[in-house]
């Protein structure tokens, strides 16, 4: 069994090439830009890890891993447009450099190229394509829910968790399951690895929401307070609006409406005062425990699970 770091190095060597034609350069250079600024590559490596949990890594796993990474970057390009985000991984976003219209098209060609790689699978592609398409639809549903929540004054925690499942967790879960399917895992085992990924993805998002408020911008690679500026209903904001004092809740609502220059600083101060930061860490650990139980229930030798255990700890303890 190989560690995440070992497989990441192999995937980077496999993936780091130009995936698009050269002309028109104005389009394909924009599409290549999102790939050139790197990333954690967690989802494609999860495909490889899901495969290797059950068998030697098959050639099909590399094609599916590439498709997953291209799809993920397609979604990032469009997410950054919708969020009006100037930075991604500490560098300018595609639309900030190339304009919104070209960025939309760049996302489209990244999505199209992901299906091109799926078409290179030599085994039975139907179940792989079925799960991929289901996941792609769910990611879009989650993004729409996220935007809808911005217009609502009240969002309940269970609604937000469902949105995160769709927008974030299902892609990690599907990546692991796709790899397991390629590795010949049983239905029961593929279900467990999917639930491992789903719960881990939620814990991952709790950490992401936390870092948006309390992270080090030099490590985080994005604007700290970006969610606050966009009035996003994150785990932290939802809990604060449910549990903070009446005065603090009123202050939060006024800050979201009036958007003062020091909005981020004021909101973060309220979060700390209401103990939201500590609550978020507890919630993260609850979902991590659920994930680890599903990993425990997978019917393979425990030593084969060690790389996935290490990955889970990295995702929920990271600072970027």
């Amino acid at each position: 069994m190989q560690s995440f770091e070992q497989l990441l190095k192999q995937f980077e060597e496999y993936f780091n090439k130009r995936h698009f034609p050269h002309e028109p350069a104005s389009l394909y250079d924009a599409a290549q830009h999102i790939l050139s600024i790197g990333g954690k590559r967690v989802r494609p490596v999860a495909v490889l890890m899901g495969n290797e949990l059950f068998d030697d890594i098959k050639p099909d796993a590399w094609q599916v891993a590439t498709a997953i990474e291209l799809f993920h970057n397609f979604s990032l390009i469009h997410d950054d447009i919708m969020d009006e985000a100037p930075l991604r991984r500490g560098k300018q976003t595609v639309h900030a450099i190339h304009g919104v219209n070209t960025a939309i098209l760049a996302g489209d060609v990244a999505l199209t190229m992901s299906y091109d790689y799926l078409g290179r699978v030599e085994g039975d592609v139907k179940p792989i394509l079925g799960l991929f398409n289901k996941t792609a639809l769910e990611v879009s549903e989650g993004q729409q829910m996220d935007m809808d929540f911005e217009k609502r004054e009240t969002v309940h925690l269970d609604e937000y968790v469902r949105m995160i499942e769709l927008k974030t967790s299902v892609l990690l879960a599907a990546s692991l399951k796709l790899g397991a399917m390629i590795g010949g895992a049983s239905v029961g085992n593929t279900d467990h690895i999917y639930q491992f990924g789903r719960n881990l993805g939620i814990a991952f998002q709790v950490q992401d929401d936390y870092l948006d408020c309390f992270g080090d911008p030099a490590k985080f690679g994005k604007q700290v307070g970006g969610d606050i500026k966009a009035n996003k209903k994150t785990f932290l904001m939802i809990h604060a609006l449910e549990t903070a004092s009446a005065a603090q809740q009123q202050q939060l609502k006024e800050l979201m409406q009036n958007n003062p220059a020091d909005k981020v600083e004021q909101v973060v101060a309220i979060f700390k005062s209401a103990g939201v930061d500590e609550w978020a860490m507890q919630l993260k650990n609850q979902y991590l425990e659920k994930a680890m139980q599903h990993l425990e229930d997978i019917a393979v030798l425990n030593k084969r699970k060690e790389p996935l255990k290490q990955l889970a700890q990295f995702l929920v303890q990271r600072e970027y």
Side-chain angles (χ1 to χ4, degrees), residues 48-61:
L48 305 177
M49 298 180 80
N51 181 166
E52 196 175 40
L53 182 63
F54 300 97
D55 199 356
D56 294 338
I57 297 177
K58 309 294 185 185
D60 283 348

Side-chain angles (χ1 to χ4, degrees), residues 191-302:
D191 286 346
H192 277 305
I193 202 167
Y194 185 90
Q195 292 302 325
F196 165 72
R198 186 183 71 83
N199 284 285
L200 181 58
I202 297 173
F204 175 93
Q205 186 61 46
V206 176
Q207 180 72 355
D208 210 54
D209 286 0
Y210 177 89
L211 290 174
D212 185 82
C213 288
F214 303 106
D216 179 348
K219 297 178 180 178
F220 192 38
K222 291 190 286 186
Q223 286 181 309
V224 171
D227 290 343
I228 294 172
K229 291 179 179 178
N231 283 344
K232 287 200 171 185
K233 309 299 190 299
T234 63
F235 279 108
L236 289 82
M237 181 63 75
I238 290 169
H239 187 68
L241 288 170
E242 290 179 349
T243 62
S245 69
Q248 288 174 325
Q249 291 182 38
Q250 182 59 35
Q251 186 180 357
L252 284 172
K253 292 175 183 177
E254 291 175 357
L255 287 167
M256 286 190 284
Q257 290 174 354
N258 299 328
N259 297 313
D262 62 344
K263 176 182 175 180
V264 172
E265 291 78 9
Q266 289 195 56
V267 170
V268 169
I270 294 172
F271 284 175
K272 288 183 177 179
S273 176
V276 172
D277 50 343
E278 295 177 0
W279 169 85
M281 292 299 95
Q282 293 172 358
L283 183 68
K284 177 186 73 174
N285 289 331
Q286 290 175 16
Y287 280 104
L288 176 61
E289 289 173 6
K290 291 179 183 179
M292 300 309 287
Q293 185 58 57
H294 280 288
L295 183 61
E296 181 67 26
D297 290 340
I298 294 174
V300 298
L301 293 174
N302 281 332

Side-chain angles (χ1 to χ4, degrees), residues 159-173:
E159 293 179 298
Y160 184 73
V161 170
R162 178 57 179 161
M163 182 273 288
I164 291 304
E165 284 185 90
L166 295 172
K167 184 179 176 181
T168 301
S169 295
V170 295
L171 188 55
L172 176 60

Side-chain angles (χ1 to χ4, degrees), residues 10-65:
Q10 294 174 44
F11 180 76
E12 290 281 14
E13 292 173 353
Y14 179 89
F15 185 78
N16 284 345
K17 61 182 180 180
R18 189 173 179 93
H19 292 271
F20 308 100
H22 290 279
E23 296 294 337
S26 56
L27 171 61
Y28 291 121
D29 287 354
Q32 191 66 32
H33 172 71
I34 190 72
L35 307 182
S36 68
I37 59 178
K40 293 183 281 292
R41 312 292 196 215
V42 171
R43 295 154 189 86
V45 176
V47 176
L48 305 177
M49 298 180 80
N51 181 166
E52 196 175 40
L53 182 63
F54 300 97
D55 199 356
D56 294 338
I57 297 177
K58 309 294 185 185
D60 283 348
W62 295 97
Q63 308 294 353
V64 173

